[in-house]
Amino acid sequence: MRRYAARPMADAMHGVTARERLEALGKLQGDTVAAKVDGRVYDLHTPIPEDAREIEPIRVNDPEALPIIRHSTAHVMADAVQRLFPGTKVAFGPAIDDGFYYDYDRPDGSFTEEDLEKITEVMLGIIEANTPFERKVLPYEEARRVLEELGEPYKLEHLERLKDEEISFYQHGKWVDLCEGPHVPSTGFLKAFKLTHRAGAYWRGDERNPMLQRIYGTAFPDAKALRAYLLQRQEAEKRDHRKLGKELGLIAFHPYAPASPFFLPRGAQVYNRLVEYIRDLYDEKAYQEVITPQIFDNALFHTSGHLPSYRENMFFAATVDGLEEASKALVKNPPKDEESCSHVLSEHLRFGVKPMNCPSHCLYFAMEKHSYRDLPLRIADFGRLHRYERSGVVQGLTRVRTFAQDDAHIFCTMEQVQGEIASFIDLVFRVYEDFGFTDTKVIVATRPDQRLGSDEVWDAAEAALFDACKAKGIAFEVADGEGAFYGPKIEFHLKDAIGRSWQLGTIQCDFNLPERFDLHYVGADNERHRPVMLHRAILGSVERFFGVLVEHVAGAFPIWLAPEQLRLLTVSERFNDYAHEVAADLRKKGYRVDVDDSADKLGAKIRNARNLRIPLLGVVGEREVESRGLAIRSRDENADLGFKTLDEVEAILAPLSLPPSRRPA
RNA sequence: GCCUAGGUAGCUCAGUGGUAGAGCACCCCCUUGGUAAGGGGGAGGUCGUGAGUUCAAUUCUCAUCCUAGGCUCCA
């Protein structure tokens, strides 16, 4: 097994290179890393098509240079790794959103922190040597021979999947890699990188495959940009909802209920504000809220299709009776294997804890006969859901095992689908704006290979989604084949503090459940018709939304959501009575007000309140008691707003206690 | 579930093969103070849990639970 090529892969290429062309046009600068030729990115030393029309340089500080720099850095890292740890195989090493990674199969174990330091040192040496990156294109069979010679099984496996006649390789110094490119002209262009962390990753992302060792890093055009990025990341980590949630007394976890949050009094306040806000919208938009059971006979989940297809994600509820029956059945007919044992158990353990509200809403719909005049019927439910998530995937509030959605199902006719979707999109954007989210990513997920229903129905449903998005003039991406098996969907994604994107809102067309539950309504023609079911949520799960919101506002909730809107700080004990009197009065009016009547001095009280991100502070001393008011200090301005009468305080609080879209103009 | 790294007081964290420490928070006392920590004293931990090695384990080994970063999966 030999990593390095026996001889440099001297190029035998013909034609004009990007560099030559740029030079001829006088467009080549010292900091040019690649070229954009008719929309495609080329290395400088790669010949470009003879009929190329437009050619522009990509310079180090252009956004398009970043992935090139990062991917090139990944190559340098892989070179360093194989120098330091002979026998290590390489897999994939792409540039990603905020850096790059490379996956390795290291036979003698995983990489340690110290290994990263060593790798970094060797990388610095490679960069200092400033060796050029070279591209070579080989015929398929020859490419195979090279990879066999290099002893790279993962690359060979990847080669199998490439159908191209010609395969490109990149080489810097003696290190060669099967690679699409492009790359910077030479290693010296890599001015600033940092290896950040390591993790396991399955080969080709499939858990049936062997686990590889992944090393993540990031790279920038210069040290200043790298420092800025690392600093920004540090700042972002301070906003982490798990950290803030603890510091601000919002949430907690206990090992007895893994991945299941406690909402502490302050957190529950905010949680309830979120639900209350959505309930108000429901009143406005003609939704009807229901409260449905938590635990159902498994017959329901058979009908809905959750058994067996959603089984791994469900909790089941055993009873002593059920266990005894199961035991008797097992003693009477001892099972031959695990499967039959499991079958007997699940037959006698009758109950399942609901992972979704849709089955019970179907039951509700079927309880009465419906006319087309009833439609659309919008049924909302904040029911608590339980899903068994595998231990490795849970995370803070963004991925939990018990949560509530601002869930609703709209039963409507096919003709009503587009209108319902359009008004839902409006609603989603209004809500996200109320919370201050502006960069919402919209994704339309279309029919997957495995699906139910005829192509005509899918055509209509997808058209309804696309038409609604287009009619709204919103930008969206298409995720082909990513729809649910029962229908296509629109997803609304927001980013958390560290830039991870989370799906919050969604609207999905469903033709499957109405079929399974044999739902129908009577049309104007006096015939039975199948309704369409739209699953939709705006916040998504209240828990996840809460987490993303905490990070978005960095714990500083706006007044309409703040658990404590105003805290009264007494200058000395002598003013406690007045403060309590004022607080009681404001609380009676619906404001969330507390008094800090501790023995702390004013400075300490202010510090504590500010650390809790309380939006308004009211200082109470001699002057305020005499003139019946408060000296207001605002969190957002971090300044003393001076004396306000009680009426003035209320005038400040009243409008800000409403969500922006409900405030008087 | 898999890979890697962690788990010491309510919180943030030191530390050690000879059964533990700081700051903040908490309790008590003094101070009655006007816009980001007034002073003093006290209490609080079977060092995640269970086994093993050892004369001796919080420290070393293994298992297990939880957490974190990924992979896979999803609201």
Side-chain angles (χ1 to χ4, degrees):
Chain A
M1 172 218 64
R2 194 174 57 205
R3 175 68 230 175
Y4 299 101
R7 56 187 186 284
M9 303 205 312
D11 69 89
M13 293 189 191
H14 302 291
V16 178
T17 64
R19 180 194 302 279
E20 288 161 351
R21 176 65 66 85
L22 283 173
E23 209 157 20
L25 293 168
K27 286 181 175 175
L28 188 71
Q29 312 277 343
D31 63 355
T32 304
V33 294
K36 196 167 187 180
V37 181
D38 292 336
R40 242 190 95 184
V41 180
Y42 282 78
D43 310 284
L44 289 185
H45 67 274
T46 300
I48 59 171
E50 281 174 28
D51 58 353
R53 312 176 85 162
E54 263 180 64
I55 178 164
E56 286 302 326
I58 295 175
R59 300 170 64 178
V60 283
N61 285 310
D62 291 339
E64 284 171 308
L66 214 44
I68 302 173
I69 290 169
R70 287 170 175 174
H71 182 52
S72 298
T73 312
H75 272 224
V76 170
M77 170 170 75
D79 180 4
V81 166
Q82 290 195 319
R83 287 189 199 190
L84 284 165
F85 310 102
T88 300
K89 308 298 181 194
V90 296
F92 283 133
I96 52 175
D97 272 357
D98 54 359
F100 61 87
Y101 67 80
Y102 217 120
D103 286 344
Y104 306 98
D105 181 1
R106 183 181 170 187
D108 51 339
S110 53
F111 297 98
T112 63
E113 271 313 316
E114 294 78 63
D115 290 340
L116 294 194
E117 283 166 31
K118 282 187 220 153
I119 294 165
T120 301
E121 269 174 47
V122 174
M123 287 174 71
L124 289 171
I126 296 169
I127 288 167
E128 190 160 356
N130 195 19
T131 47
F133 276 93
E134 290 168 40
R135 178 189 173 93
K136 175 152 186 173
V137 175
L138 296 178
Y140 194 90
E141 280 311 314
E142 205 170 321
R144 178 198 302 280
R145 237 189 37 240
V146 169
L147 290 177
E148 276 167 3
E149 200 175 304
L150 293 171
E152 288 291 357
Y154 297 98
K155 292 290 182 187
L156 272 166
E157 195 185 322
H158 181 54
L159 184 72
E160 300 290 327
R161 287 161 211 260
L162 296 176
K163 295 183 185 94
D164 306 6
E165 283 299 298
E166 303 201 310
I167 305 298
S168 63
F169 283 81
Y170 275 83
Q171 175 167 7
H172 66 267
K174 288 180 179 171
W175 195 81
V176 180
D177 197 7
L178 170 71
C179 175
E180 186 75 52
H183 283 282
V184 296
S186 65
T187 56
F189 277 75
L190 309 174
K191 306 282 190 209
F193 74 91
K194 182 173 170 59
L195 303 186
T196 51
H197 57 293
R198 59 227 140 86
Y202 296 105
W203 166 235
R204 305 195 78 89
D206 189 327
E207 62 183 331
R208 289 164 300 190
N209 286 338
M211 174 80 58
L212 305 174
Q213 301 302 320
R214 176 172 295 181
I215 300 179
Y216 283 92
T218 191
F220 284 88
D222 54 66
K224 201 176 151 196
L226 175 64
R227 266 203 310 275
Y229 166 82
L230 294 173
L231 202 72
Q232 179 205 329
R233 224 187 134 78
Q234 261 178 23
E235 286 303 309
E237 276 162 17
K238 288 186 196 157
R239 295 175 162 234
D240 190 317
H241 73 271
R242 291 164 298 193
K243 186 173 150 60
L244 282 173
K246 204 183 217 180
E247 279 173 20
L248 302 180
L250 302 171
I251 54 160
F253 290 88
H254 193 279
Y256 284 174
S260 307
F262 284 62
F263 283 83
L264 309 179
R266 303 184 82 83
Q269 275 289 351
V270 178
Y271 193 103
N272 286 333
R273 295 291 83 70
L274 295 176
V275 172
E276 184 180 277
Y277 167 78
I278 295 291
R279 278 208 174 102
D280 286 344
L281 291 178
Y282 286 166
D283 289 341
E284 184 185 321
K285 301 291 177 190
Y287 283 70
Q288 296 168 279
E289 185 178 339
V290 295
I291 297 170
T292 53
Q294 199 67 48
I295 293 174
F296 286 91
D297 193 299
N298 283 327
L300 175 70
F301 301 115
H302 275 114
T303 306
S304 68
H306 285 87
L307 293 172
S309 63
Y310 203 72
R311 213 187 150 81
E312 321 76 66
N313 282 297
M314 284 180 63
F315 284 99
F316 293 94
T319 59
V320 171
D321 285 350
L323 286 171
E324 282 172 357
E325 278 176 39
S327 308
K328 278 181 201 150
L330 286 170
V331 170
K332 201 170 163 193
N333 284 316
K336 288 185 271 304
D337 51 25
E338 265 179 47
E339 202 181 321
S340 55
C341 180
S342 159
H343 180 75
V344 172
L345 283 174
S346 52
E347 270 199 335
H348 288 86
L349 303 180
R350 271 180 67 194
F351 301 105
V353 183
K354 68 177 173 189
M356 297 182 192
N357 290 310
C358 30
S360 42
H361 290 188
C362 288
L363 295 182
Y364 165 75
F365 186 87
M367 281 173 184
E368 279 183 43
K369 195 161 183 171
H370 293 280
S371 155
Y372 70 99
R373 295 173 195 275
D374 298 341
L375 307 183
L377 194 63
R378 306 185 189 91
I379 303 303
D381 199 329
F382 291 97
R384 183 138 295 272
L385 307 178
H386 291 81
R387 298 185 188 172
Y388 178 73
E389 300 287 354
R390 298 156 98 198
S391 65
V393 308
V394 297
Q395 196 211 53
L397 287 178
T398 38
R399 191 73 184 276
V400 292
R401 287 187 177 147
T402 172
F403 59 102
Q405 295 178 314
D406 59 330
D407 198 11
H409 295 94
I410 302 173
F411 298 89
C412 63
T413 67
M414 195 65 206
E415 294 69 45
Q416 290 169 331
V417 167
Q418 192 179 324
E420 287 299 312
I421 292 173
S423 58
F424 177 72
I425 291 173
D426 283 341
L427 195 55
V428 169
F429 279 93
R430 167 176 162 193
V431 168
Y432 290 0
E433 266 167 42
D434 268 345
F435 289 102
F437 291 111
T438 46
D439 55 346
T440 307
K441 194 164 79 179
V442 180
I443 296 174
V444 180
T446 60
R447 68 190 78 186
D449 293 337
Q450 292 264 324
R451 61 178 182 269
L452 294 169
S454 70
D455 284 351
E456 291 77 56
V457 172
W458 276 91
D459 288 341
E462 286 174 3
L465 296 185
F466 283 120
D467 290 350
C469 286
K470 283 176 193 155
K472 291 292 151 206
I474 53 172
F476 61 90
E477 291 170 25
V478 179
D480 269 319
E482 300 279 305
F485 66 94
Y486 51 76
K489 55 183 178 178
I490 304 177
E491 298 174 353
F492 300 87
H493 292 249
L494 290 177
K495 280 187 179 172
D496 70 11
I498 330 174
R500 285 180 294 215
S501 180
W502 293 98
Q503 185 196 313
L504 297 173
T506 180
I507 183 162
Q508 317 182 353
C509 289
D510 184 356
F511 310 108
N512 176 44
L513 280 182
E515 196 76 35
R516 285 178 161 273
F517 282 87
D518 191 26
L519 303 182
H520 55 268
Y521 64 90
V522 179
D525 55 3
N526 201 30
E527 296 288 321
R528 284 165 58 137
H529 296 279
R530 193 69 80 203
V532 178
M533 199 176 169
L534 301 176
H535 306 241
R536 35 77 47 224
I538 305 170
L539 307 182
S541 96
V542 183
E543 280 73 4
R544 176 178 290 180
F545 190 87
F546 187 113
V548 175
L549 178 66
V550 166
E551 302 192 355
H552 184 69
V553 301
F557 294 107
I559 288 178
W560 65 284
L561 293 166
E564 193 178 343
Q565 299 173 313
L566 169 64
R567 176 175 287 193
L568 304 185
L569 315 177
T570 51
V571 171
S572 98
E573 275 171 22
R574 291 187 291 132
F575 314 112
N576 285 353
D577 287 346
Y578 172 79
H580 283 291
E581 187 192 315
V582 170
D585 181 51
L586 287 168
R587 291 170 75 107
K588 209 159 123 190
K589 289 172 173 152
Y591 300 108
R592 301 184 286 280
V593 183
D594 284 300
V595 180
D596 182 347
D597 58 5
S598 69
D600 283 338
K601 295 181 80 169
L602 183 61
K605 291 184 182 186
I606 287 173
R607 182 185 145 82
N608 291 336
R610 282 198 60 79
N611 284 341
L612 283 173
R613 322 281 206 277
I614 296 167
L616 293 174
L617 306 182
V619 175
V620 177
E622 192 83 51
R623 290 198 294 277
E624 289 72 27
V625 174
E626 268 172 23
S627 316
R628 302 290 298 172
L630 298 170
I632 294 293
R633 184 183 167 118
S634 124
R635 170 194 68 197
D636 297 330
E637 283 122 334
N638 193 15
D640 187 353
L641 303 185
F643 179 84
K644 305 282 175 196
T645 65
L646 295 181
D647 285 344
E648 285 169 334
V649 170
E650 240 189 288
I652 295 172
L653 274 172
L656 296 176
S657 295
L658 296 170
S661 67
R662 290 194 180 277
R663 279 173 208 162

